[in-house]
Amino acid sequence: PDRRYRDQPPQIPLSTMAAQTAATETDLTGILLCAGNPLLDISAEVPMTVLEKYGVSPNSAILAEEQHQPLFKELVDDYAVKYIAGGATQNSCRVCQWMTGTPGATSYFGCIGDDAFGKQMTDEAAAIGMNVQYLVDPEQVTGTCAVLVDPTGERSLVTNLAAANHFKATHLADAAQASVIEKAKYYYMAGFFLTVSLESIETIGRHAVEQKKLVMMNLSAPFIVQFFWDQLNAAMPYVDIMFGNESEAEAFGEKMGWGTDIAVIAQGISALPKASGFRGRTVIITQGKDATIVAKDGEVMTFPVTVLPKEKLVDTNGAGDAFVGGFMSQLIKGDRRHP
């Protein structure tokens, strides 16, 4: 497809979609609902030999298989680990909540175990003002994610979903959760949630279409495109804003036969069929230090990124999640700048 570019100042692109469902500063309580896989991150700085030992590619995100199970114990036993309440969607939700400054602006659904890790996440979320509505499964342990920070500062993720893999769509029908869904005007789910509960995503998506609300999603990882293609296609019609990075976009382009041009791929995703006819789909693709690409209504735009000096870089864990969280915080406040 034809492409038209407009270079913009180095700012986060924000859509006039905000005007369609905007709230005032005093009306933010419960405005955003996020649903995903809550995980306790076990983060450690490790040598490249650890990645090689477990067959983990640098800067990748994978689901743990049997050969990865010893990794979690090895991190705890042999390295200085940090425990962080995480999971991609919860990370973005936490950043958004922090940036809005309004207690209860964000709500979160996910499944945890009835254990110390689950309680730790509940307490941390509540402390920053998030309204967590976890489904607690006493037969499962809370999910964990090994965050491997290599000597270059890149992070690789190995996820053991555990309880997170047992979220049930029936949780949405409970009175408390139904009320949260009804009150929210914006919804966000990372692509990782496609591996757990497509039914939940479709339920929220149908509600959003009926009520003319806004749904956001993230491609999240190349393996989502490669191995959960059917689920992604089923959810895509409900998505008003799709986030991703260059490797995820390339995986999508390969699947569709669109080549490797990120702008062409972004425009192709933007043009895929939608369930609603009252707004087009915006696609936002980040590329690390390279320009962020935004596609909407047949137009492609680029937004330069201010490069951070290497000496200020700690690691890249959660960078994409924080980008989404920051974007959402401004969108729900009613920022009407067009990308």
Side-chain angles (χ1 to χ4, degrees):
D2 292 332
R3 284 176 286 144
R4 291 169 288 161
Y5 291 93
R6 279 195 289 119
D7 290 329
Q8 300 290 337
Q11 60 183 22
I12 296 177
L14 294 168
S15 174
T16 49
M17 285 184 191
Q20 297 168 327
T21 50
T24 66
E25 290 283 354
T26 58
D27 190 30
L28 292 178
T29 304
I31 194 170
L32 172 68
L33 168 61
C34 301
N37 303 333
L39 305 167
L40 189 71
D41 287 351
I42 303 174
S43 180
E45 297 180 5
V46 299
M48 295 300 296
T49 53
V50 172
L51 279 72
E52 295 164 0
K53 177 180 178 180
Y54 290 99
V56 178
S57 300
N59 199 30
S60 65
I62 62 174
L63 293 176
E65 299 179 13
E66 186 176 350
Q67 68 265 28
H68 299 117
Q69 295 306 319
L71 169 62
F72 297 88
K73 186 176 187 302
E74 180 175 335
L75 288 181
V76 174
D77 290 347
D78 299 343
Y79 298 93
V81 300
K82 296 178 182 177
Y83 295 97
I84 307 164
T89 302
Q90 189 166 225
N91 286 341
S92 296
C93 192
R94 284 163 58 91
V95 170
C96 182
Q97 176 60 54
W98 168 64
M99 292 187 69
T100 63
T102 300
T106 64
S107 302
Y108 180 83
F109 292 169
C111 187
I112 62 174
D114 186 11
D115 53 27
F117 283 171
K119 185 179 185 305
Q120 179 178 341
M121 282 202 290
T122 302
D123 291 345
E124 287 190 16
I128 64 167
M130 279 172 57
N131 173 25
V132 288
Q133 296 286 326
Y134 293 130
L135 170 63
V136 180
D137 189 334
E139 296 183 1
Q140 305 294 328
V141 296
T142 297
T144 53
C145 179
V147 180
L148 310 178
V149 182
D150 66 36
T152 70
E154 294 287 353
R155 66 91 182 102
S156 302
L157 309 177
V158 182
T159 299
N160 184 25
L161 289 173
N165 203 36
H166 292 265
F167 187 87
K168 303 292 190 299
T170 52
H171 187 60
L172 307 183
D174 292 347
Q177 284 68 55
S179 175
V180 171
I181 294 171
E182 183 64 35
K183 186 168 186 177
K185 296 181 180 179
Y186 298 85
Y187 306 91
Y188 175 68
M189 295 152 285
F192 294 124
F193 199 47
L194 290 166
T195 72
V196 173
S197 187
L198 174 61
E199 184 181 356
S200 297
I201 295 172
E202 291 178 317
T203 297
I204 291 171
R206 286 191 295 268
H207 170 81
V209 169
E210 292 167 2
Q211 300 297 321
K212 295 188 177 182
K213 298 178 179 180
L214 191 144
V215 174
M216 296 170 279
M217 185 170 275
N218 202 311
L219 294 174
S220 294
F223 82 82
I224 297 296
V225 177
Q226 295 159 350
F227 303 114
F228 295 89
W229 181 249
D230 290 345
Q231 293 92 326
L232 179 58
N233 271 303
M236 186 66 77
Y238 301 108
V239 179
D240 297 299
I241 301 179
M242 177 64 84
F243 298 94
N245 65 26
E246 69 273 38
S247 63
E248 296 151 10
E250 287 170 0
F252 203 105
E254 181 180 357
K255 197 80 172 181
M256 294 293 290
W258 291 342
T260 58
D261 187 316
I262 302 299
V264 171
I265 295 167
Q267 195 168 19
I269 297 172
S270 178
L272 290 173
K274 289 186 85 265
S276 68
F278 47 85
R279 65 168 70 91
R281 179 182 297 114
T282 298
V283 177
I284 302 170
I285 304 297
T286 60
Q287 304 184 97
K289 64 181 177 58
D290 296 325
T292 294
I293 291 176
V294 178
K296 185 179 187 295
D297 296 334
E299 184 175 13
V300 177
M301 295 148 280
T302 61
F303 293 80
V305 172
T306 302
V307 178
L308 187 70
K310 281 191 174 182
E311 59 270 18
K312 291 189 176 182
L313 176 64
V314 178
D315 65 64
T316 60
N317 186 35
D321 301 337
F323 176 94
V324 172
F327 182 100
M328 294 192 300
S329 74
Q330 301 309 296
L331 185 68
I332 67 177
K333 285 181 176 181
D335 194 313
R336 295 169 175 78
R337 283 175 292 172
H338 194 283

